[in-house]
Amino acid sequence: MKLISFIIIFFGFLIYSFFNLGKFLDVTQEPSKTELLVCLGGGISKNRVNKTVEIYKNGFLEKNHIIFTGVSSINKNTYKNFDEDINIITNGKVKNTMEEILYIKAYVKENNLSSVTFITEAPHSKRVKIFWDNFGERLENVNFSVVASDFEDWNSKKYYENNTTLKYAFSEFTKLIYNFFLYGVLETFGFKEEFESAYKKELKEIKKELSLTLK
């Protein structure tokens, strides 16, 4: 009986987790006043840029700080959307979400900012929040939020009904576990570089399989 009960509970948990994964991953909020806008690189970059411009034009930016990560420059048409006094910074050197978060934290501290808003796809927002809350220097007095960029029929309650959002959600969940293990465990005990070096080829293949072509 105990084994049967365990099996029922286990599979019940899996079913519950599957249907609630979208709500777990999506921690985005509606735009609010902020001192820094951060358009994260990767994903559907055009939609992220468009949402950043939209938030700016709607008057939510209180100071003149906007950062575009994952790119070394932005095109002239994008520049035209911002006033000349806006301090637009690009950083093409950061390679992943973790490096983006650590870079932004350093920028926020250096410029004594009290709020920051990240722009990315909704299912990516949980990973951004977890990294912000748990890695790098804690910035207790900084108001953090993530605003969702447009993403093909994303519905946190019914993400599994769309093939693209289903794949994205499972990819994000896998990346979340992997990155927490990499940075939260291996890096803490000094094994991160050794692990990445030893399994560089395998990790590259795994990332390739997990990555989505979002166009």
Side-chain angles (χ1 to χ4, degrees):
M1 286 297 294
K2 289 184 178 180
L3 178 60
I4 294 175
S5 298
F6 173 79
I7 293 174
I8 292 174
I9 293 172
F10 176 73
F11 281 100
F13 174 75
L14 290 181
I15 294 171
Y16 175 84
S17 298
F18 174 80
F19 284 105
N20 287 276
L21 179 60
K23 289 186 285 186
F24 169 76
L25 293 174
D26 187 350
V27 294
T28 56
Q29 301 169 259
E30 290 299 314
S32 59
K33 293 290 185 179
T34 186
E35 295 183 350
L36 169 63
L37 288 175
V38 180
C39 180
L40 292 175
I44 313 172
S45 57
K46 181 180 179 182
N47 290 357
R48 295 182 183 185
V49 172
N50 290 342
K51 178 58 71 171
T52 303
V53 171
E54 177 188 317
I55 293 172
Y56 169 75
K57 286 189 171 182
N58 285 335
F60 289 105
L61 184 64
E62 293 183 313
K63 292 191 175 181
N64 63 337
H65 302 270
I66 299 179
I67 297 178
F68 292 84
T69 62
V71 293
S72 56
S73 63
I74 58 175
N75 62 52
K76 293 180 180 179
N77 290 331
T78 301
Y79 262 113
K80 291 178 182 178
N81 291 291
F82 306 109
D83 293 333
E84 292 183 358
D85 65 330
I86 297 298
N87 182 26
I88 297 177
I89 298 173
T90 59
N91 185 338
K93 295 181 179 180
V94 288
K95 300 176 183 178
N96 53 48
T97 302
M98 178 63 78
E99 291 186 7
E100 289 174 318
I101 293 298
L102 296 179
Y103 167 72
I104 296 303
K105 278 193 166 186
Y107 183 89
V108 167
K109 182 180 180 181
E110 181 181 346
N111 290 274
N112 196 31
L113 302 179
S114 63
S115 57
V116 55
T117 295
F118 290 83
I119 297 92
T120 188
E121 287 80 48
H124 182 217
S125 61
K126 186 69 172 185
R127 185 151 56 105
V128 174
K129 178 171 174 51
I130 287 178
F131 286 179
W132 178 271
D133 290 342
N134 294 281
F135 296 95
E137 184 175 351
R138 288 188 177 276
L139 303 177
E140 302 289 353
N141 297 319
V142 176
N143 185 39
F144 163 92
S145 66
V146 185
V147 173
S149 57
D150 294 336
F151 177 43
E152 186 183 326
D153 300 323
W154 170 257
N155 184 328
S156 62
K157 295 179 180 179
K158 297 182 179 180
Y159 74 97
Y160 46 83
E161 293 182 355
N162 180 290
N163 191 49
T164 300
T165 57
L166 175 64
K167 287 181 179 179
Y168 199 122
F170 272 90
S171 174
E172 269 304 315
F173 185 66
T174 305
K175 289 176 182 177
L176 185 57
I177 295 173
Y178 168 74
N179 278 276
F180 202 82
F181 172 70
L182 184 66
Y183 294 101
V185 179
L186 294 182
E187 187 172 58
T188 300
F189 292 100
F191 296 120
K192 175 178 172 291
E193 292 184 4
E194 182 178 344
F195 176 80
E196 289 184 309
S197 177
Y199 297 99
K200 185 176 182 180
K201 183 178 180 180
E202 290 82 357
L203 289 171
K204 187 175 181 181
E205 289 299 319
I206 292 173
K207 289 179 181 179
K208 184 177 180 181
E209 291 177 8
L210 290 174
S211 65
L212 297 173
T213 305
L214 299 172
K215 297 182 180 179

